[in-house]
Amino acid sequence: MRVVATDRHAAHAPSGFIARGNRVANPETPERAAIFRRAVEAGGHAVIEAGGHGLAPVAAIHAADYLEFLETGWAEWEQLPDHAPEILPNVHPGRNMSIHPTHIVGKAGHYQADTACPIGPGTWEGARASADVAVSAADMVAADGAPAYALCRPPGHHAYADQAGGFCFLNNSAIAAQRLRESGAKRVTILDVDVHHGNGTQGIFYRRADVQTVSIHGDPHAYYPFFTGYADEIGAGPGRGANLNLPLPRGTGDAGYLDTLEGALAAVEAFRPDVLVVALGLDPSEKDPLAFLAVTTDGFGRIGERIGRTGYPTLIVQEGGYISDILGDNLAAVLAGFETGRR
Ligand code: ZN
């Protein structure tokens, strides 16, 4: 498996977020990428440095005003007296408010969906680096159809066209899918196996018929992102029928997960994509610090093998998955399983 990576992500090193009312350590740390890198190197996969792709592939997905906020928000924040070391929103537009704010505190509430996407001085650089990884890997798949793994960090699937959320700023999987479309793929599927609903990805493509979005995740009645991820969200307008949500009950293990994956892949088969983008969260793990499902390392191998067996030109994009003693093993299992399935 070709692996694309860069160390430039480390400019983004968030310290905190708020969970159950407590300010706690942010689990989306640069160390995650180091663990992934050690795992792929130990697995004998070739690691290729990401190129720089400029803003165009990012701007093909994200709104210009949102990108300006990500790029310049920190400089505004720094001017505030007694500012914290990261931009964290403390007020959000409620359902009866619609004014587009101009003050940095208002902008934070407008552009940051929750407290899990703090912005520090290096966030823009780190998020851009992560998007570059996705674009470089997408270009490889577009060029020859052989699979590639994009070692992205920070993750992307909770980022909407104009909003950060859930450790995500730029939607790497969406940026890659759009890049693949522009490289000639007529239909692209994004299959999201992160334990959290891929709400940003769903939002970006909700009205489009050319990019199918399928997400298997913990039931949002009781889990982040709470407000989306339900089975009755099927797409709208031209995109009606091209969005599939498969929420799973807490504690679902390998057998239940693999059953659901069969259903997801049947929908993918019906869509007949030219390219498959796998939004690979490793947080369905039984040992993930944010655990909701209970997939084992063996289960991750079988998930990878089943996806590999589909035979589509495939780009695997790293999404979530947080530090436990088996995080690297789970990535190694998915990639090895995928290669077994492809043979
Ligand atoms: Zn996740």
Side-chain angles (χ1 to χ4, degrees), residues 32 155 157-158 166-168 192-198 223-224 280-284 288 290 319-322:
R32 294 178 61 240
H157 74 148
H158 296 307
F167 313 141
C168 301
D192 189 321
V193 299
D194 189 283
V195 76
H196 302 97
H197 175 230
Y223 199 50
Y224 185 91
L280 176 65
L282 295 167
D283 43 12
D288 195 273
L290 308 181
E319 296 284 359
Y322 302 93

Side-chain angles (χ1 to χ4, degrees), residues 47-87:
V47 180
I48 301 146
E49 174 71 20
H53 297 282
L55 258 188
V58 171
I61 288 295
H62 291 284
D65 60 318
Y66 172 61
L67 295 177
E68 187 186 349
F69 167 73
L70 290 180
E71 184 172 10
T72 65
W74 174 257
E76 285 181 61
W77 183 259
E78 224 179 3
Q79 303 303 313
L80 291 179
D82 301 323
H83 63 82
E86 296 175 325
I87 309 177

